[in-house]
Coordinates of all heavy atoms in Angstrom, one line a residue:
L18 N 17.9 -7.7 7.5 CA 16.5 -7.5 7.4 C 16.2 -6.7 6.1 O 16.6 -5.6 5.9 CB 16.0 -6.7 8.6 CG 14.5 -6.4 8.8 CD1 13.8 -7.7 9.0 CD2 14.3 -5.5 9.9
E19 N 15.4 -7.3 5.3 CA 15.0 -6.7 4.0 C 13.8 -5.8 4.1 O 13.7 -4.8 3.4 CB 14.8 -7.8 2.9 CG 16.0 -8.6 2.6 CD 17.0 -7.7 1.8 OE1 16.6 -6.9 1.0 OE2 18.2 -7.9 2.0
A20 N 12.8 -6.3 4.9 CA 11.6 -5.5 5.1 C 10.9 -6.0 6.3 O 11.1 -7.1 6.8 CB 10.6 -5.7 3.8
L21 N 9.9 -5.2 6.8 CA 9.2 -5.5 8.0 C 7.7 -5.6 7.6 O 7.2 -4.7 6.9 CB 9.4 -4.4 9.0 CG 8.6 -4.5 10.3 CD1 9.2 -5.6 11.2 CD2 8.7 -3.2 11.0
V22 N 7.0 -6.7 8.0 CA 5.6 -6.7 7.8 C 4.9 -6.2 9.1 O 5.1 -6.7 10.2 CB 5.1 -8.2 7.6 CG1 3.6 -8.3 7.5 CG2 5.7 -8.8 6.3
Y23 N 4.2 -5.1 8.9 CA 3.4 -4.5 10.0 C 2.0 -4.8 9.8 O 1.3 -4.4 8.9 CB 3.6 -3.0 10.0 CG 2.7 -2.3 11.0 CD1 2.9 -2.5 12.3 CD2 1.6 -1.5 10.6 CE1 2.0 -1.9 13.3 CE2 0.7 -1.0 11.5 CZ 0.9 -1.2 12.8 OH 0.1 -0.6 13.7
T24 N 1.4 -5.6 10.8 CA 0.0 -6.0 10.8 C -0.7 -5.4 12.0 O -0.3 -5.6 13.1 CB -0.1 -7.5 10.9 OG1 0.6 -8.2 9.8 CG2 -1.5 -8.0 10.9
D25 N -1.7 -4.6 11.7 CA -2.6 -4.1 12.8 C -3.5 -5.3 13.1 O -4.5 -5.5 12.4 CB -3.4 -2.9 12.3 CG -4.2 -2.3 13.3 OD1 -4.7 -3.0 14.2 OD2 -4.5 -1.1 13.3
I26 N -3.2 -6.0 14.2 CA -4.0 -7.2 14.5 C -5.5 -6.9 14.9 O -6.3 -7.8 14.8 CB -3.3 -8.0 15.6 CG1 -3.2 -7.2 16.9 CG2 -2.0 -8.6 15.1 CD1 -2.7 -8.1 18.1
G27 N -5.8 -5.7 15.2 CA -7.1 -5.3 15.5 C -8.0 -5.2 14.2 O -9.2 -5.2 14.2
R28 N -7.3 -5.1 13.1 CA -8.0 -5.0 11.8 C -7.8 -6.2 10.9 O -8.5 -6.4 9.9 CB -7.4 -3.8 11.0 CG -7.8 -2.4 11.6 CD -7.1 -1.3 10.8 NE -7.4 0.0 11.5 CZ -7.9 1.0 10.8 NH1 -8.3 0.9 9.6 NH2 -8.1 2.1 11.5
D29 N -6.9 -7.1 11.3 CA -6.6 -8.2 10.5 C -7.8 -9.1 10.3 O -8.4 -9.5 11.2 CB -5.4 -9.0 11.1 CG -4.8 -10.0 10.2 OD1 -4.7 -9.7 9.0 OD2 -4.3 -11.1 10.7
G30 N -8.2 -9.3 9.0 CA -9.3 -10.2 8.7 C -10.6 -9.5 8.9 O -11.7 -10.0 8.6
M31 N -10.6 -8.2 9.2 CA -11.9 -7.5 9.5 C -12.4 -6.7 8.2 O -13.5 -6.2 8.2 CB -11.7 -6.5 10.6 CG -11.4 -7.1 11.9 SD -12.8 -8.0 12.6 CE -12.2 -9.7 12.5
L32 N -11.5 -6.6 7.2 CA -11.9 -5.8 6.0 C -12.3 -4.4 6.3 O -13.2 -3.8 5.6 CB -13.0 -6.6 5.2 CG -12.8 -8.0 4.8 CD1 -14.0 -8.6 4.2 CD2 -11.6 -8.1 3.9
S33 N -11.6 -3.8 7.2 CA -12.0 -2.4 7.7 C -11.0 -1.4 7.1 O -11.1 -0.2 7.5 CB -12.0 -2.4 9.2 OG -10.8 -2.8 9.7
G34 N -10.0 -1.8 6.3 CA -9.1 -0.9 5.8 C -7.7 -0.9 6.5 O -7.7 -1.2 7.7
I35 N -6.7 -0.7 5.8 CA -5.3 -0.6 6.4 C -5.3 0.6 7.4 O -5.9 1.7 7.1 CB -4.3 -0.4 5.3 CG1 -4.2 -1.6 4.4 CG2 -2.9 0.0 5.9 CD1 -3.5 -2.8 5.0
N36 N -4.6 0.4 8.5 CA -4.4 1.5 9.4 C -3.3 2.4 8.9 O -2.1 2.3 9.1 CB -4.0 1.0 10.8 CG -4.0 2.0 11.9 OD1 -3.8 3.2 11.6 ND2 -4.1 1.6 13.1
I37 N -3.8 3.4 8.1 CA -2.9 4.3 7.4 C -2.0 5.1 8.4 O -0.8 5.2 8.2 CB -3.6 5.2 6.4 CG1 -4.4 4.4 5.3 CG2 -2.7 6.3 5.8 CD1 -3.5 3.7 4.3
E38 N -2.7 5.7 9.4 CA -1.9 6.5 10.3 C -0.9 5.8 11.1 O 0.3 6.3 11.2 CB -2.9 7.2 11.3 CG -3.8 8.2 10.6 CD -3.0 9.3 9.9 OE1 -2.0 9.8 10.4 OE2 -3.4 9.6 8.7
A39 N -1.2 4.6 11.6 CA -0.2 3.9 12.4 C 1.0 3.4 11.5 O 2.2 3.5 11.9 CB -0.8 2.7 13.1
T40 N 0.7 3.0 10.3 CA 1.7 2.5 9.4 C 2.5 3.7 8.9 O 3.8 3.6 8.8 CB 1.0 1.9 8.1 OG1 0.1 0.9 8.5 CG2 2.1 1.2 7.2
F41 N 1.9 4.9 8.7 CA 2.6 6.1 8.4 C 3.7 6.5 9.5 O 4.8 6.7 9.2 CB 1.6 7.2 8.2 CG 2.3 8.6 7.8 CD1 2.6 8.8 6.5 CD2 2.5 9.5 8.8 CE1 3.2 10.0 6.2 CE2 3.0 10.8 8.4 CZ 3.4 11.0 7.1
K42 N 3.2 6.4 10.7 CA 4.1 6.8 11.9 C 5.3 5.8 12.0 O 6.4 6.2 12.2 CB 3.3 6.8 13.2 CG 2.4 8.0 13.3 CD 1.6 7.9 14.6 CE 0.6 9.1 14.7 NZ -0.2 9.0 15.8
L43 N 5.0 4.5 11.8 CA 6.1 3.5 11.8 C 7.1 3.8 10.7 O 8.3 3.8 10.9 CB 5.5 2.1 11.7 CG 6.5 1.0 11.7 CD1 7.4 1.0 13.0 CD2 5.9 -0.4 11.5
A44 N 6.6 4.0 9.5 CA 7.4 4.2 8.3 C 8.3 5.5 8.5 O 9.5 5.5 8.1 CB 6.6 4.4 7.1
Q45 N 7.8 6.5 9.2 CA 8.6 7.7 9.4 C 9.7 7.4 10.5 O 10.7 8.1 10.5 CB 7.7 8.8 9.9 CG 6.9 9.4 8.7 CD 6.2 10.7 9.1 OE1 5.7 10.8 10.2 NE2 6.3 11.7 8.3
A46 N 9.4 6.5 11.4 CA 10.3 6.2 12.5 C 11.5 5.3 12.2 O 12.5 5.3 12.9 CB 9.5 5.6 13.7
I47 N 11.3 4.5 11.2 CA 12.4 3.6 10.8 C 12.8 3.7 9.4 O 12.1 4.3 8.6 CB 12.0 2.1 11.1 CG1 10.8 1.6 10.2 CG2 11.6 1.9 12.6 CD1 10.5 0.2 10.4
R48 N 14.0 3.1 9.0 CA 14.4 3.2 7.6 C 14.2 1.9 6.9 O 14.3 1.8 5.7 CB 15.9 3.5 7.6 CG 16.2 4.9 8.1 CD 17.7 5.1 8.0 NE 18.0 6.4 8.6 CZ 18.6 7.4 7.9 NH1 18.9 7.2 6.6 NH2 18.9 8.5 8.4
T49 N 13.7 0.9 7.6 CA 13.5 -0.4 7.0 C 12.2 -0.4 6.1 O 11.2 0.1 6.6 CB 13.3 -1.5 8.1 OG1 14.5 -1.5 8.9 CG2 13.1 -2.9 7.5
P50 N 12.2 -0.9 4.9 CA 11.0 -0.9 4.1 C 9.9 -1.7 4.9 O 10.2 -2.7 5.6 CB 11.4 -1.6 2.8 CG 12.9 -1.4 2.8 CD 13.3 -1.4 4.2
I51 N 8.6 -1.3 4.7 CA 7.5 -1.9 5.4 C 6.5 -2.5 4.4 O 6.2 -1.9 3.3 CB 6.8 -0.8 6.2 CG1 7.7 -0.4 7.3 CG2 5.5 -1.4 6.9 CD1 7.2 0.8 8.1
I52 N 5.9 -3.6 4.7 CA 4.8 -4.2 4.0 C 3.6 -4.1 5.0 O 3.6 -4.6 6.1 CB 5.1 -5.6 3.7 CG1 6.3 -5.7 2.8 CG2 3.8 -6.3 3.0 CD1 6.8 -7.1 2.5
A53 N 2.6 -3.3 4.5 CA 1.4 -3.1 5.3 C 0.5 -4.3 5.3 O 0.3 -4.9 4.3 CB 0.7 -1.8 4.8
S54 N -0.2 -4.5 6.4 CA -1.0 -5.7 6.5 C -2.1 -5.4 7.6 O -1.9 -4.7 8.5 CB -0.2 -6.9 6.9 OG -1.0 -8.1 7.1
G55 N -3.3 -6.1 7.4 CA -4.3 -6.0 8.3 C -5.5 -5.1 7.9 O -5.4 -3.9 8.0
G56 N -6.5 -5.7 7.3 CA -7.7 -4.9 7.0 C -7.9 -4.5 5.5 O -8.9 -3.9 5.2
L57 N -6.9 -4.8 4.7 CA -7.0 -4.4 3.3 C -8.3 -4.9 2.7 O -8.6 -6.0 2.8 CB -5.8 -5.0 2.5 CG -5.7 -4.4 1.0 CD1 -5.1 -3.0 1.0 CD2 -4.8 -5.3 0.2
H58 N -9.0 -4.0 2.0 CA -10.4 -4.3 1.6 C -10.7 -3.9 0.2 O -11.5 -4.5 -0.5 CB -11.4 -3.7 2.6 CG -12.8 -3.8 2.2 ND1 -13.4 -5.1 2.0 CD2 -13.8 -2.9 1.9 CE1 -14.7 -4.9 1.7 NE2 -14.9 -3.6 1.6
S59 N -10.1 -2.8 -0.3 CA -10.6 -2.3 -1.6 C -9.5 -1.6 -2.3 O -8.4 -1.4 -1.8 CB -11.7 -1.2 -1.3 OG -11.2 -0.1 -0.7
I60 N -9.8 -1.2 -3.6 CA -8.9 -0.5 -4.4 C -8.6 0.9 -3.7 O -7.5 1.4 -3.8 CB -9.5 -0.2 -5.8 CG1 -9.8 -1.6 -6.5 CG2 -8.6 0.7 -6.6 CD1 -8.5 -2.4 -6.8
K61 N -9.6 1.4 -3.0 CA -9.3 2.7 -2.3 C -8.2 2.5 -1.3 O -7.4 3.5 -1.1 CB -10.6 3.2 -1.7 CG -11.6 3.8 -2.7 CD -12.8 4.3 -2.0 CE -13.8 4.8 -3.0 NZ -15.0 5.4 -2.5
D62 N -8.2 1.4 -0.6 CA -7.1 1.1 0.3 C -5.7 1.1 -0.4 O -4.8 1.7 0.1 CB -7.3 -0.2 1.0 CG -8.4 -0.3 2.0 OD1 -8.8 0.8 2.5 OD2 -8.9 -1.4 2.2
V63 N -5.7 0.5 -1.6 CA -4.5 0.4 -2.4 C -4.1 1.9 -2.8 O -2.9 2.2 -2.7 CB -4.7 -0.5 -3.6 CG1 -3.5 -0.3 -4.6 CG2 -4.9 -1.9 -3.2
Q64 N -5.0 2.7 -3.2 CA -4.7 4.0 -3.6 C -4.2 4.9 -2.4 O -3.3 5.7 -2.6 CB -5.9 4.7 -4.2 CG -6.3 4.0 -5.6 CD -7.7 4.4 -6.1 OE1 -8.6 4.6 -5.3 NE2 -7.8 4.4 -7.4
A65 N -4.8 4.6 -1.2 CA -4.3 5.4 0.0 C -2.9 5.0 0.3 O -2.1 5.8 0.7 CB -5.3 5.1 1.1
I66 N -2.6 3.7 0.2 CA -1.3 3.2 0.5 C -0.3 3.9 -0.5 O 0.8 4.4 0.0 CB -1.2 1.7 0.4 CG1 -2.0 1.0 1.6 CG2 0.2 1.2 0.4 CD1 -2.3 -0.4 1.4
C67 N -0.6 3.9 -1.7 CA 0.3 4.4 -2.7 C 0.5 5.9 -2.5 O 1.6 6.4 -2.6 CB -0.3 4.2 -4.1 SG -0.2 2.4 -4.6
A68 N -0.6 6.6 -2.2 CA -0.5 8.1 -2.1 C 0.2 8.5 -0.8 O 1.0 9.4 -0.8 CB -1.9 8.7 -2.1
R69 N -0.1 7.9 0.3 CA 0.4 8.3 1.6 C 1.6 7.5 2.1 O 2.4 8.1 2.8 CB -0.8 8.2 2.6 CG -0.4 8.8 4.0 CD -0.9 10.2 4.2 NE -0.3 10.8 5.4 CZ -0.9 10.8 6.6 NH1 -2.0 10.1 6.7 NH2 -0.3 11.3 7.6
L70 N 1.6 6.2 1.9 CA 2.6 5.4 2.5 C 3.8 5.0 1.6 O 4.9 4.9 2.1 CB 2.0 4.1 3.0 CG 0.8 4.3 4.0 CD1 0.2 2.9 4.4 CD2 1.3 5.1 5.2
V71 N 3.6 4.9 0.3 CA 4.7 4.5 -0.5 C 5.8 5.6 -0.5 O 7.0 5.3 -0.3 CB 4.3 4.3 -2.0 CG1 5.5 4.2 -3.0 CG2 3.5 3.0 -2.0
P72 N 5.5 6.9 -0.5 CA 6.6 7.9 -0.3 C 7.3 7.8 1.0 O 8.5 8.3 1.1 CB 5.8 9.2 -0.4 CG 4.6 8.9 -1.2 CD 4.2 7.5 -0.7
E73 N 6.8 7.2 2.0 CA 7.4 7.0 3.3 C 8.2 5.7 3.4 O 8.7 5.4 4.5 CB 6.4 7.1 4.4 CG 5.7 8.4 4.5 CD 6.6 9.6 4.7 OE1 7.6 9.5 5.4 OE2 6.3 10.7 4.1
G74 N 8.2 4.9 2.4 CA 9.0 3.6 2.5 C 8.2 2.4 2.6 O 8.7 1.3 2.8
V75 N 6.9 2.4 2.4 CA 6.0 1.2 2.4 C 6.2 0.6 1.0 O 5.9 1.3 0.0 CB 4.6 1.5 2.8 CG1 3.7 0.3 2.6 CG2 4.5 2.0 4.2
I76 N 6.5 -0.6 0.9 CA 6.8 -1.2 -0.4 C 5.7 -2.2 -0.9 O 5.8 -2.8 -2.0 CB 8.2 -1.9 -0.4 CG1 8.2 -3.1 0.6 CG2 9.3 -0.9 -0.2 CD1 9.4 -4.0 0.5
G77 N 4.7 -2.4 -0.1 CA 3.7 -3.4 -0.5 C 2.6 -3.5 0.6 O 2.7 -2.9 1.6
A78 N 1.7 -4.4 0.3 CA 0.6 -4.7 1.2 C 0.2 -6.1 1.0 O 0.3 -6.7 0.0 CB -0.6 -3.7 1.0
I79 N -0.4 -6.7 2.1 CA -0.9 -8.0 2.1 C -2.4 -8.0 2.0 O -3.0 -7.3 2.8 CB -0.4 -8.8 3.3 CG1 1.1 -8.9 3.3 CG2 -1.1 -10.2 3.4 CD1 1.7 -9.6 4.5
A80 N -2.9 -8.8 1.1 CA -4.4 -8.9 0.9 C -4.7 -10.4 1.2 O -4.3 -11.2 0.5 CB -4.8 -8.5 -0.5
G81 N -5.5 -10.6 2.3 CA -5.8 -12.0 2.6 C -7.3 -12.2 2.4 O -7.7 -12.7 1.4
R82 N -8.0 -12.0 3.5 CA -9.4 -12.3 3.5 C -10.2 -11.7 2.3 O -11.1 -12.3 1.8 CB -10.1 -11.9 4.8 CG -11.5 -12.3 5.0 CD -12.0 -12.0 6.4 NE -13.4 -12.4 6.5 CZ -14.1 -12.1 7.5 NH1 -13.6 -11.4 8.5 NH2 -15.4 -12.5 7.5
A83 N -9.9 -10.5 2.0 CA -10.6 -9.8 0.9 C -10.4 -10.6 -0.4 O -11.4 -10.7 -1.2 CB -10.0 -8.4 0.7
L84 N -9.3 -11.2 -0.6 CA -9.1 -12.1 -1.8 C -9.9 -13.3 -1.7 O -10.6 -13.7 -2.7 CB -7.6 -12.4 -2.0 CG -6.7 -11.3 -2.5 CD1 -5.2 -11.8 -2.5 CD2 -7.1 -11.0 -3.9
Y85 N -9.8 -14.0 -0.5 CA -10.6 -15.2 -0.3 C -12.1 -15.1 -0.5 O -12.7 -15.9 -1.0 CB -10.3 -15.8 1.0 CG -8.8 -16.1 1.3 CD1 -8.3 -15.7 2.5 CD2 -8.0 -16.7 0.4 CE1 -6.9 -16.0 2.8 CE2 -6.7 -16.9 0.6 CZ -6.1 -16.5 1.8 OH -4.8 -16.8 2.1
E86 N -12.6 -13.9 -0.1 CA -14.0 -13.7 -0.2 C -14.5 -13.0 -1.5 O -15.6 -12.8 -1.7 CB -14.5 -12.9 1.0 CG -14.3 -13.6 2.3 CD -15.0 -12.9 3.5 OE1 -15.5 -11.8 3.4 OE2 -14.9 -13.5 4.6
G87 N -13.5 -12.7 -2.3 CA -13.9 -12.2 -3.6 C -14.2 -10.7 -3.6 O -14.8 -10.1 -4.5
A88 N -13.9 -10.0 -2.5 CA -14.2 -8.6 -2.3 C -13.1 -7.7 -3.0 O -13.3 -6.5 -3.1 CB -14.3 -8.2 -0.9
F89 N -12.1 -8.3 -3.4 CA -10.9 -7.6 -3.9 C -10.4 -8.3 -5.2 O -10.1 -9.5 -5.2 CB -9.8 -7.7 -2.8 CG -8.6 -6.9 -2.9 CD1 -8.6 -5.5 -2.6 CD2 -7.4 -7.4 -3.4 CE1 -7.5 -4.7 -2.8 CE2 -6.3 -6.6 -3.5 CZ -6.3 -5.3 -3.2
D90 N -10.2 -7.6 -6.2 CA -9.7 -8.1 -7.5 C -8.2 -7.8 -7.6 O -7.8 -6.6 -7.7 CB -10.4 -7.6 -8.7 CG -10.0 -8.1 -10.0 OD1 -8.8 -7.9 -10.4 OD2 -10.8 -8.8 -10.6
F91 N -7.3 -8.8 -7.5 CA -5.9 -8.6 -7.5 C -5.4 -7.9 -8.7 O -4.6 -6.9 -8.6 CB -5.1 -9.9 -7.3 CG -3.7 -9.7 -7.2 CD1 -3.1 -9.2 -6.0 CD2 -2.8 -9.9 -8.3 CE1 -1.7 -9.0 -6.0 CE2 -1.5 -9.7 -8.3 CZ -0.9 -9.3 -7.1
K92 N -5.9 -8.3 -9.9 CA -5.4 -7.6 -11.1 C -5.7 -6.1 -11.2 O -4.9 -5.3 -11.6 CB -5.9 -8.3 -12.4 CG -5.3 -9.7 -12.6 CD -5.8 -10.3 -13.9 CE -5.1 -11.6 -14.1 NZ -5.6 -12.3 -15.3
K93 N -7.0 -5.8 -10.7 CA -7.4 -4.4 -10.7 C -6.6 -3.6 -9.7 O -6.2 -2.5 -9.9 CB -8.9 -4.3 -10.4 CG -9.7 -4.7 -11.5 CD -11.2 -4.6 -11.2 CE -12.1 -5.0 -12.3 NZ -13.5 -5.0 -12.0
A94 N -6.3 -4.3 -8.5 CA -5.5 -3.6 -7.5 C -4.1 -3.4 -7.9 O -3.5 -2.3 -7.7 CB -5.5 -4.5 -6.2
Q95 N -3.5 -4.3 -8.6 CA -2.1 -4.2 -9.1 C -2.1 -3.1 -10.2 O -1.2 -2.2 -10.2 CB -1.6 -5.5 -9.7 CG -0.2 -5.4 -10.2 CD 0.8 -5.1 -9.1 OE1 0.8 -5.8 -8.1 NE2 1.6 -4.1 -9.2
A96 N -3.1 -3.0 -11.0 CA -3.2 -1.9 -12.0 C -3.3 -0.6 -11.4 O -2.7 0.4 -11.8 CB -4.3 -2.2 -13.0
A97 N -4.1 -0.5 -10.3 CA -4.3 0.8 -9.6 C -3.0 1.2 -8.9 O -2.6 2.4 -8.9 CB -5.4 0.7 -8.6
A98 N -2.3 0.2 -8.3 CA -1.0 0.5 -7.7 C 0.0 1.0 -8.7 O 0.7 2.0 -8.5 CB -0.5 -0.7 -6.9
S99 N 0.1 0.3 -9.8 CA 1.0 0.7 -10.9 C 0.7 2.1 -11.4 O 1.6 2.9 -11.6 CB 1.0 -0.3 -12.0 OG 1.4 -1.5 -11.6
K100 N -0.6 2.4 -11.6 CA -0.9 3.7 -12.1 C -0.6 4.8 -11.0 O -0.1 5.9 -11.3 CB -2.4 3.8 -12.4 CG -2.9 5.1 -13.0 CD -4.3 5.1 -13.3 CE -4.7 6.4 -13.9 NZ -6.2 6.5 -14.3
A101 N -0.9 4.5 -9.7 CA -0.7 5.5 -8.7 C 0.8 5.8 -8.4 O 1.1 6.9 -8.0 CB -1.4 5.0 -7.4
T102 N 1.6 4.8 -8.7 CA 3.1 5.0 -8.4 C 3.9 5.3 -9.7 O 5.1 5.4 -9.6 CB 3.6 3.8 -7.7 OG1 3.4 2.6 -8.5 CG2 3.0 3.6 -6.3
E103 N 3.2 5.4 -10.8 CA 3.9 5.7 -12.1 C 4.5 7.1 -12.0 O 3.9 8.0 -11.7 CB 2.8 5.6 -13.2 CG 3.4 5.7 -14.6 CD 2.3 5.5 -15.6 OE1 1.6 6.5 -15.9 OE2 2.1 4.3 -16.0
K104 N 5.7 7.1 -12.4 CA 6.4 8.4 -12.5 C 6.1 9.0 -13.9 O 6.1 8.3 -14.9 CB 7.9 8.2 -12.3 CG 8.2 7.8 -10.9 CD 9.7 7.9 -10.6 CE 10.1 7.5 -9.3 NZ 9.4 6.9 -8.3
P105 N 5.9 10.3 -14.0 CA 5.6 10.9 -15.3 C 6.8 10.7 -16.2 O 8.0 10.8 -15.7 CB 5.3 12.4 -15.0 CG 5.5 12.5 -13.5 CD 5.8 11.2 -12.9
A106 N 6.6 10.6 -17.5 CA 7.7 10.5 -18.4 C 8.4 11.8 -18.5 O 7.8 12.9 -18.4 CB 7.1 10.1 -19.8
A107 N 9.7 11.7 -18.7 CA 10.5 12.9 -18.9 C 10.1 13.6 -20.2 O 9.8 12.9 -21.2 CB 12.0 12.6 -18.9
P108 N 10.0 14.9 -20.2 CA 9.7 15.6 -21.5 C 10.8 15.4 -22.5 O 12.0 15.2 -22.1 CB 9.6 17.1 -21.0 CG 10.3 17.2 -19.8 CD 10.3 15.8 -19.1
P109 N 10.4 15.4 -23.8 CA 11.5 15.2 -24.8 C 12.5 16.4 -24.7 O 12.1 17.5 -24.3 CB 10.7 15.2 -26.1 CG 9.4 15.8 -25.8 CD 9.1 15.6 -24.3
P110 N 13.7 16.2 -25.2 CA 14.7 17.3 -25.2 C 14.2 18.4 -26.1 O 13.6 18.1 -27.1 CB 16.0 16.6 -25.6 CG 15.6 15.2 -26.1 CD 14.2 14.9 -25.7
A111 N 14.6 19.6 -25.7 CA 14.2 20.8 -26.6 C 15.0 20.7 -27.8 O 16.2 20.3 -27.9 CB 14.5 22.0 -25.8
R112 N 14.4 21.1 -28.9 CA 15.1 21.2 -30.2 C 15.9 22.5 -30.3 O 15.4 23.5 -29.9 CB 14.1 21.1 -31.3 CG 13.5 19.7 -31.4 CD 12.6 19.6 -32.6 NE 12.2 18.2 -32.7 CZ 12.1 17.6 -33.8 NH1 12.3 18.2 -35.0 NH2 11.7 16.3 -33.9
A113 N 17.0 22.4 -30.9 CA 17.8 23.6 -31.1 C 17.5 24.4 -32.3 O 16.9 24.0 -33.3 CB 19.3 23.3 -31.1

C-alpha cells in the first residue's frame, strides 16, 4: 500500500472544505501516507492542508467539483502548496 485516499463522503462534492480534524486524526493514527479528499474548495483549503496535515503525513489532496465548476485554479493552488511546503534555504557557510 503506497497511500490511502481518505474521503469525507459527507463533504464530497459540497465545496465545504476538507475535514481537517478527521484527516488529522487519521494521519496521526496510521503510518501510511494519506491523500485528503472531499470538499476541497479554495486556496485556503490547500494552505490548511499544508500547514496542519502535511507534517502529519498527508501527501496530497483531490480537487474535483471545484475544478469542474471553475471555483479553484489548479496552477494557483499548486503554487500555494509549493510555497507553503518550501523548506528555507540553508544559510551560507560562515567565512573564516
